[in-house]
Amino acid sequence: MSLRVILVDDEPDRAVQVEDALRASGCVMVGRFGTGTDLSRLVTELRADVIVVDIASPDRDVLENMRQVTYDQARPVVMFAQDGHANTIRAAIEAGVSAYVVDGLTPDRVKPVVDVAIARFAQFQQLRSQLDKATSSLAERKLVERAKGILMKRRRCDEDEAYGLMRKMAMDQKSRLADIANKIIEAADLLG
């Protein structure tokens, strides 16, 4: 399956070279736009898989646009730039740019750089998913512990018995343990 690419470039001559290199490597160009474009909307409308940005030096507005695309639309961004300053590179990476290449835009390097950016983006998305899952699991565990404490105090029972009561409730109501814990906490808050 061919990658659907949006190219962001303010210099038409340079953009043609990048487009030609991407097409030659099997990519489908779905649009070419300047840096002031609303990329989030276009990524959705054009169903782009990746965004390639060719720019001398990314400014704050360009980086904010990239941040919005990578976080709202979850697409990899490849940035070819002339600015090799550490602060600029750091700002680009913080904005979600998957690959930042300085002074290296040659037609034969475009596709491999895009491939690396896609792989790094997928790896980052997987790590983000694992972090979200771990954070959610920890929050649920805290709810269960708090609800157990409430049951232990109100029912004057030990921890195992409180946990058993919650598990039985969850099974009887065909609910998750965290949902039962939440109900117990809400009821305790209501009753004071």
Side-chain angles (χ1 to χ4, degrees):
M1 185 175 183
S2 298
L3 287 175
R4 298 174 58 82
V5 179
I6 287 179
L7 175 62
V8 177
D9 197 332
D10 289 330
E11 290 188 27
D13 292 338
R14 188 176 61 192
V16 168
Q17 291 177 338
V18 177
E19 268 189 60
D20 288 346
L22 288 165
R23 279 194 181 105
S25 63
C27 294
V28 175
M29 299 303 301
V30 294
R32 179 175 68 181
F33 306 97
T35 55
T37 308
D38 177 13
L39 277 179
S40 283
R41 179 181 58 78
L42 291 169
V43 167
T44 302
E45 286 177 10
L46 300 173
R47 298 184 336 265
D49 299 313
V50 65
I51 295 90
V52 175
V53 181
D54 189 15
I55 191 166
S57 179
D59 61 19
R60 184 183 55 82
D61 292 338
V62 168
L63 293 176
E64 187 54 41
N65 209 356
M66 295 307 109
R67 181 183 326 278
Q68 188 174 7
V69 167
T70 55
Y71 291 104
D72 294 348
Q73 302 297 325
R75 299 295 193 284
V77 175
V78 178
M79 188 172 285
F80 293 97
Q82 300 302 315
D83 187 347
H85 290 98
N87 289 342
T88 305
I89 294 169
R90 188 176 312 109
I93 298 302
E94 287 172 1
V97 172
S98 304
Y100 188 94
V101 181
V102 179
D103 267 343
L105 182 56
T106 58
D108 60 322
R109 289 186 63 204
V110 173
K111 180 66 165 106
V113 169
V114 169
D115 290 342
V116 168
I118 291 169
R120 300 233 345 124
F121 180 79
Q123 182 183 35
F124 178 76
Q125 290 299 99
Q126 183 180 15
L127 288 173
R128 177 186 270 178
S129 175
Q130 289 172 350
L131 176 62
D132 290 346
K133 189 183 276 186
T135 301
S136 175
S137 179
L138 181 61
E140 288 180 0
R141 196 167 167 186
K142 285 181 180 181
L143 279 176
V144 169
E145 290 300 316
R146 185 170 169 210
K148 271 196 316 190
I150 291 169
L151 284 177
M152 289 165 59
K153 184 176 179 184
R154 300 260 169 137
R155 292 254 181 142
R156 301 189 198 295
C157 61
D158 66 15
E159 187 175 351
D160 289 340
E161 190 177 345
Y163 186 73
L165 288 168
M166 289 174 55
R167 280 194 62 197
K168 183 176 180 341
M169 273 205 246
M171 285 190 276
D172 290 347
Q173 295 179 21
K174 294 181 176 61
S175 291
R176 294 178 34 234
L177 195 57
D179 295 335
I180 296 300
N182 216 5
K183 288 179 182 179
I184 291 169
I185 293 166
E186 288 175 358
D189 289 343
L190 183 67
L191 297 173

